[in-house]
Amino acid sequence: MIYTSRALSFLKLKHSVLSTLLFLLLLAACQPAAPVPDLPVSVWGPVITLAQAEQPNAPALAVSESGVTAAWVGADEQGVFQALRTLNNDAPGEPIRLPLGVRPYAQQFASAGNGRQHLFWLDSNVEGETRLFTALLKPNLERERELTILTREVTRRYTLLPAAEGGVWAIASGGLASEPSLNAHFVDGDGRWRLNENDRIATDADWPTLLQHADGTVSLYWLRDTDNRVMRGLFNDGVLLNPQPLVDSVTLNAGDRLESFTAAQDNAYAYLFWNVTRVDGSRETWYTAAPPDTATWERPTRLTIDVPDDIATASWFDSGFNVGVVFAASDGEDNVSWVVPASGRFPVLPVAALVGREISVMFMREGQIVGYRPMGLLTDLIGLPTLAVDRDLYIYLSWAQPDPAGYANLQLVGRKVGLWSWVENPRSD
């Protein structure tokens, strides 16, 4: 075959281009693979994704010597189930399925002693009406006793009070929507329910929340339905004493929704928090605080914070907790929402919060914001976070991170040194 000089030039060029492409392909094949993205990391270290579930609120948390235990609600082709998982230094722990419930939600833990836990939740009974359920769990999270249905009326909300020898009081609100009432139920350390003929302790009452004070007395707070007043009474062994109005509650307009009403305390003050979603979808937190024996409290106000402009130069605050650096802060103009305070009593009160769009922990003392620790993670919460403190004053924070696919990543972070050492790429400040 005879080629012209122009054809020969074209063939040489084509050969050169092909050789260059082949060389580039071989070079690319020799390059290392793209690095796998790091796990989400907060300022306290690695963020653990416990599960992916269709729930807006964070998992319930319980902390003990064995680690931190989380509970949430899962679902698959076999149906709905409750999932439990304990995380510690040694291993992540595999989730344990409890086939309990039809549509369980609002889970809470209470210690039963000897490493056991009471698990409480709201669910449907056989008639499809919501009741308060409980089950006693062994240290390995297996059931020790069958579940118990505590309430006999439609139940909407409840709060728990630890009692002696692993017992627990559950104060539940329910009944007719137009005539809500509070009922007290006791479960002993072995998961047995004390049957009372009359467990009703208050009428015209909803949204119960409890505080156990330094002197051993217990205050029960609730919202009076007819006039939107906060009520307070002393709770003693199933009896409510001296109920009195305390302060007006937060005003809700048509379309507004109250997400939670919670009491908390530091060593000097008691606090009341309201989380509100307005009709336009905006989120707010309101609060009031006073010494616990104060007869009349100030009206609730919006909770806002003055965030440091530059945390690199911000002053530090000694929170007393094992959380690393905390920045000094005060009341201000930046929006705070989805506040959940720690249970217990401390010189400074830690609260989980969404500050702007950043998941954070704030610290309050004598009714004022005094410290702030942003987690370095942005989110748009659609439900309540969870915060727990262990006996060594390490804090654990959990939240449900919404995903566009329609579920939430249930996230957990804790700053305890060595915790979750099996996680790669840990980081801490």
Side-chain angles (χ1 to χ4, degrees):
M1 186 178 293
I2 299 174
Y3 295 98
T4 65
S5 59
R6 179 176 295 181
L8 287 172
S9 299
F10 173 77
L11 288 173
K12 288 179 180 179
L13 177 61
K14 184 177 180 182
H15 176 75
S16 176
V17 170
L18 290 174
S19 298
T20 301
L21 289 174
L22 180 59
F23 172 76
L24 290 175
L25 289 172
L26 290 173
L27 182 62
C30 295
Q31 296 299 312
V36 177
D38 290 342
L39 293 170
V41 175
S42 75
V43 296
W44 285 354
V47 178
I48 305 303
T49 299
L50 295 166
Q52 293 177 333
E54 295 181 0
Q55 67 175 54
N57 293 328
L61 296 181
V63 292
S64 63
E65 294 180 0
S66 60
V68 55
T69 300
W72 65 92
V73 177
D76 57 19
E77 63 278 359
Q78 299 177 15
V80 177
F81 58 89
Q82 298 194 63
L84 304 169
R85 187 180 184 186
T86 296
L87 305 177
N88 55 36
N89 293 351
D90 301 324
E94 292 298 325
I96 295 175
R97 294 171 55 126
L98 289 181
L100 297 176
V102 178
R103 51 176 184 86
Y105 65 101
Q107 296 156 303
Q108 292 188 52
F109 286 109
S111 174
N114 299 319
R116 301 173 302 165
Q117 296 282 347
H118 299 283
L119 178 64
F120 292 82
W121 70 96
L122 295 176
D123 204 347
S124 296
N125 64 5
V126 292
E127 286 81 26
E129 298 175 332
T130 302
R131 298 288 189 269
L132 178 60
F133 291 69
T134 184
L136 182 64
L137 305 178
K138 299 177 182 179
N140 64 1
L141 303 182
E142 294 180 355
R143 277 185 294 168
E144 185 167 315
R145 297 179 65 89
E146 291 299 317
L147 63 83
T148 300
I149 303 177
L150 292 180
T151 53
R152 291 170 283 191
E153 296 181 320
V154 172
T155 308
R156 297 179 184 86
R157 282 163 280 274
Y158 70 99
T159 187
L160 301 178
L161 174 68
E165 299 179 348
V168 59
W169 281 98
I171 312 300
S173 67
L176 295 176
S178 59
E179 300 177 4
S181 60
L182 301 183
N183 296 272
H185 309 275
F186 181 77
V187 178
D188 70 14
D190 291 320
R192 297 171 297 194
W193 174 36
R194 181 193 297 173
L195 179 61
N196 293 327
E197 289 300 323
N198 183 15
D199 49 32
R200 181 159 298 170
I201 59 173
T203 57
D204 190 16
D206 202 352
W207 295 94
T209 181
L210 286 155
L211 285 183
Q212 186 164 24
H213 304 297
D215 61 2
T217 60
V218 176
S219 291
L220 175 64
Y221 304 86
W222 67 95
L223 301 184
R224 189 161 62 188
D225 190 60
T226 53
D227 60 2
N228 200 35
R229 295 275 284 172
V230 177
M231 299 291 293
R232 179 180 64 189
L234 292 178
F235 180 80
N236 183 23
D237 196 29
V239 178
L240 185 63
L241 305 172
N242 195 30
Q244 297 290 333
L246 190 66
V247 66
D248 288 336
S249 183
V250 173
T251 300
L252 297 178
N253 300 314
D256 294 343
R257 183 171 67 253
L258 179 60
E259 304 286 357
S260 70
F261 172 65
T262 312
Q265 61 186 334
D266 59 31
N267 280 352
Y269 273 55
Y271 299 73
L272 298 173
F273 295 97
W274 291 255
N275 285 307
V276 175
T277 298
R278 296 299 184 185
V279 66
D280 62 0
S282 61
R283 319 283 188 179
E284 303 170 354
T285 295
W286 292 65
Y287 86 110
T288 183
D293 57 354
T294 302
T296 303
W297 289 26
E298 296 291 332
R299 292 175 64 92
T301 59
R302 281 278 301 276
L303 183 61
T304 53
I305 188 173
D306 183 11
V307 174
D309 292 330
D310 183 3
I311 60 175
T313 59
S315 300
W316 291 7
F317 170 73
D318 184 5
S319 68
F321 292 88
N322 288 311
V323 293
V325 173
V326 173
F327 305 108
S330 61
D331 298 349
E333 297 182 354
D334 294 301
N335 188 56
V336 174
S337 60
W338 294 120
V339 164
V340 174
S343 59
R345 188 175 58 256
F346 311 98
V348 178
L349 172 67
V351 299
L354 193 66
V355 177
R357 293 187 58 240
E358 187 164 17
I359 191 75
S360 308
V361 176
M362 300 191 314
F363 297 86
M364 304 185 72
R365 182 172 59 199
E366 296 183 1
Q368 303 294 323
I369 297 173
V370 290
Y372 163 67
R373 175 69 268 189
M375 291 292 105
L377 299 168
L378 299 180
T379 184
D380 292 301
L381 296 183
I382 58 173
L384 296 167
T386 307
L387 184 145
V389 181
D390 70 14
R391 66 177 188 177
D392 296 320
L393 300 182
Y394 289 97
I395 292 179
Y396 306 83
L397 176 62
S398 183
W399 66 98
Q401 179 93 30
D403 188 276
Y407 55 81
N409 293 312
L410 306 183
Q411 310 284 56
L412 175 66
V413 64
R415 197 183 183 282
K416 189 166 187 177
V417 176
L419 183 67
W420 308 323
S421 58
W422 38 267
V423 178
E424 296 180 357
N425 305 318
R427 177 184 121 194
S428 178
D429 63 335

